Amino acid sequence: MTEQSAVQSASTPPHADRPPHPGLTRPMALLLAATSAVTAANVYLNQPLLGAAASSFGVAPDVLGAVPTATQLGYAAGILLLVPAGDSHDRRRLILGLGTASALALAACALAPTVVWLVVAGFAVGLLSPVPQLVTPLAVALAAGGGEASRGRVVGTVQAGLLVGVLASRAYSGALAEQVGWRAVFGCSCVLTLLTVLVLRRALPRVPAAASAPYRTTLASLPRLFADHPLVRRITVSGALVGIAFGAFWTTLTFLLERQYGYGSTGIGLFGLVAAASALASPYAGRLADRFGRRGALGALIGLVIVGWLLLLPGGGALAWLLAGVIVLDVGVWGGQAASQTALFGLDPALHSRLNTLYFTLRFLGIAVGSLVGTVAWAGGGWPAVVATGAATALAGLLVAVAPDRLPLRRRRQT
């Protein structure tokens, strides 16, 4: 029995009387990508606003550091607790409900009278924002009529929207705050999120739930799904290791740009736009997974992450090398994420939301660990130590991703 068939046999079989999926048109794919962009941006837009918010509350800027931390913790909790419901409930209703609730949380941020209020509202924004992790399985379900050849393209397109939202949110919120104030940024995002929900309510088709198991059952199945299926475990652990390399880079990049190149907060924020090339590459990464399979695609893309780190080594003193390394590393990281999701979505559709939950929970855990490890490496050995740490963890992720699958002893003997 293959890994894919083993996973499929562990899930609830699809009902025979379900209507066929309505299909995924290009306008619908772009709408879902835009939805991912808007909802992902809500998680990151508070970061450039901390100084202005601290000034209005009359507190030190580092006090407001609790806001993005609370939002990220809320986002991780939302992925872990809410996304699995996509396997047993109507994803359309979940997306619309979460979008409406997150808009209310954004309004609470805009009206926050105290720092504590803003921290709590920020946590709520994160908790209610894992819409992209529901949108991607929905897009794959709608595209099911296109066959497996279209899966990677769909995943890459939706992820490109998510990446654009992450990259654009910082520049958008910082520039808008300078014109109309930090509260208006949350207000504008609230309105934009509500408009997105209204468009989705009219355009998004209903897709029956992939499984009939209760929510508590789907949530409780996550540890077993990770433990029992080597393919799932291999992809998610590899994603976590690459996440460590990614987190180490973006945390220590701020230190490098401030101390070595003398960049301020605005320059550092705009520097993140250099990674926009990875948004353009995401759809092609999904197609690479369609064409060459999981090992071939992840081998090439995680290999790019390692090459990116090697380019970054002289970037400690040469800006051109630093720019080149950022582009190559980000293309590898985000492309590898698209290829990983494409491989996971080749398994039983009744598991897609839970597979997304496992992947992104470990991914964000890896990024958080990478931020800590990168900081320690910077303090202990500077930029060369950071490069060594990032390249080593990326290499470990590569080995996990492309290592040959182990067959049971009986099957090895038969082979």
Side-chain angles (χ1 to χ4, degrees), residues 120-158:
V120 173
F123 178 85
V125 169
L127 179 69
L128 300 167
S129 293
V131 174
Q133 284 70 41
L134 291 167
V135 165
T136 307
L138 176 62
V140 172
L142 291 174
E148 293 193 7
S150 64
R151 186 187 306 121
R153 175 178 53 81
V154 170
V155 171
T157 299
V158 175

Side-chain angles (χ1 to χ4, degrees), residues 226-239:
F226 176 82
D228 291 351
H229 303 295
L231 176 62
V232 175
R233 190 165 57 247
R234 188 182 297 277
I235 292 176
T236 54
V237 170
S238 173

Side-chain angles (χ1 to χ4, degrees), residues 253-272 274 319-320 322-323:
L253 177 66
T254 300
F255 306 150
L256 180 68
L257 291 176
E258 286 179 345
R259 301 181 188 182
Q260 180 67 29
Y261 296 99
Y263 280 27
S265 57
T266 302
I268 293 172
L270 293 176
F271 196 90
V274 173
L319 187 60
L322 187 64
L323 292 172

Side-chain angles (χ1 to χ4, degrees), residues 42-50 61-78 109 115-116 118-127 170 186 251 364 367-368 371:
N42 292 339
V43 178
Y44 297 95
L45 61 85
N46 59 31
Q47 294 176 353
L49 309 178
L50 301 182
D62 58 346
V63 174
L64 269 295
V67 176
T69 300
T71 303
Q72 291 294 333
L73 289 174
Y75 193 49
C109 289
V115 172
V116 174
L118 185 59
V119 171
V120 173
F123 178 85
V125 169
L127 179 69
R170 297 181 178 91
F186 286 111
T251 298
F364 276 101
I367 292 173
S371 297

Side-chain angles (χ1 to χ4, degrees), residues 53-110:
S55 178
S56 69
F57 286 125
V59 299
D62 58 346
V63 174
L64 269 295
V67 176
T69 300
T71 303
Q72 291 294 333
L73 289 174
Y75 193 49
I79 291 174
L80 181 62
L81 298 176
L82 300 179
V83 173
D87 283 337
S88 56
H89 294 73
D90 182 356
R91 291 190 182 110
R92 179 181 183 274
R93 293 184 62 185
L94 286 172
I95 291 169
L96 295 177
L98 288 176
T100 302
S102 64
L104 295 177
L106 288 165
C109 289

